[in-house]
Amino acid sequence: MEFLKTYVLRRNACTAVCFWRSKVVQKPSVRRISTTFPRSTVMPAWVIDKYGKNEVLRFTQNMMIPIIHYPNEVIVKVHAASVNPIDVNMRSGYGAKALNMKRDPLHMKIKGEEFPLTLGRDVSGVVMECGLDVKYFKPGDEVWAAVPPWKQGTLSEFVVVSGNEVSHKPKSLTHTQAASLPYVALTAWSAINKIGGLNDKNCTGKRISVKESIIAGHFSWPVVLI
């Protein structure tokens, strides 16, 4: 009789343990923040390690491939990029203090941490990877973009841009043609909108002349005549 009681108690204890394990031990939930993991692969790029004249330009095969840090970003494989006057000015240090404040508003980095700095604002290429919140693009889409001057530039194999900085490339344009337009086109639009005061509500029936000058095969700042 005593043996039967011991057997029943042990069996009940085993059942309780098994029940506790089945209820408590669960697979932990994982919140995905980005679709990209840090890699050790590198890419070719034109960079500068300090501000100066043309001699500070350096071609490297060892620039780290950029990764997605925010869910609204995309990685673009560069098919074509262009040079604008702002790239020449940035090479010389134009706006360096203001741009560093934009890159590091809390002043947590030491001076010079923006280097190696990749120049280039315009890009035309193909989407390689998208952040989790990107809805309008997918890998393989042909796109063009104007990258803000506080970000790493487009004179490289890959570049990261936010979803609101990129759009689908017109099918009528080649990558080379498309890469010559975004920055100067946005400059022209800014002049038309901010200085000329024109927008989609008041420009019906009006004609605008946009004169572009060409330097070394690339468009420079536009002159807008209203």
Side-chain angles (χ1 to χ4, degrees), residues 29-37 70-71 130-133 135:
S29 61
V30 178
R31 181 185 178 188
R32 297 194 305 164
I33 303 299
S34 171
T35 60
T36 302
F37 295 94
Y70 300 98
C130 299
L132 297 176
D133 288 349
K135 306 299 182 185

Side-chain angles (χ1 to χ4, degrees), residues 98-118:
L99 294 176
N100 282 336
M101 288 180 63
K102 182 68 175 179
R103 297 182 184 112
D104 182 29
L106 299 179
H107 304 286
M108 298 181 65
K109 298 180 180 180
I110 62 176
K111 184 178 180 180
E113 283 200 8
E114 70 267 29
F115 302 116
L117 181 64
T118 306

Side-chain angles (χ1 to χ4, degrees), residues 31-183:
R31 181 185 178 188
R32 297 194 305 164
I33 303 299
S34 171
T35 60
T36 302
F37 295 94
R39 330 168 168 139
S40 60
T41 51
V42 293
M43 65 178 180
W46 281 98
V47 302
I48 60 173
D49 300 304
K50 60 181 180 179
Y51 298 114
K53 298 185 178 180
N54 283 340
E55 59 269 15
V56 301
L57 285 169
R58 176 173 64 89
F59 180 74
T60 178
Q61 295 277 5
N62 298 314
M63 193 68 172
M64 294 296 296
I65 290 180
I67 63 174
I68 289 176
H69 289 99
Y70 300 98
N72 67 326
E73 292 180 331
V74 299
I75 296 178
V76 176
K77 180 175 176 59
V78 178
H79 283 223
S82 61
V83 176
N84 289 285
I86 190 174
D87 299 307
V88 179
N89 293 332
M90 285 181 62
R91 178 213 62 194
S92 303
Y94 169 79
K97 289 185 178 180
L99 294 176
N100 282 336
M101 288 180 63
K102 182 68 175 179
R103 297 182 184 112
D104 182 29
L106 299 179
H107 304 286
M108 298 181 65
K109 298 180 180 180
I110 62 176
K111 184 178 180 180
E113 283 200 8
E114 70 267 29
F115 302 116
L117 181 64
T118 306
L119 300 177
R121 300 300 108 201
D122 290 329
V123 63
S124 181
V126 175
V127 174
M128 300 299 294
E129 189 173 354
C130 299
L132 297 176
D133 288 349
V134 176
K135 306 299 182 185
Y136 300 105
F137 305 100
K138 63 182 184 305
D141 285 351
E142 293 188 340
V143 296
W144 60 350
V147 181
W150 56 86
K151 293 187 176 182
Q152 287 285 30
T154 61
L155 301 182
S156 57
E157 187 177 6
F158 299 94
V159 65
V160 169
V161 294
S162 298
N164 62 340
E165 298 163 355
V166 64
S167 62
H168 290 98
K169 179 184 74 66
K171 295 181 180 179
S172 59
L173 299 179
T174 66
H175 284 295
T176 303
Q177 293 170 335
S180 68
L181 291 174
Y183 207 86

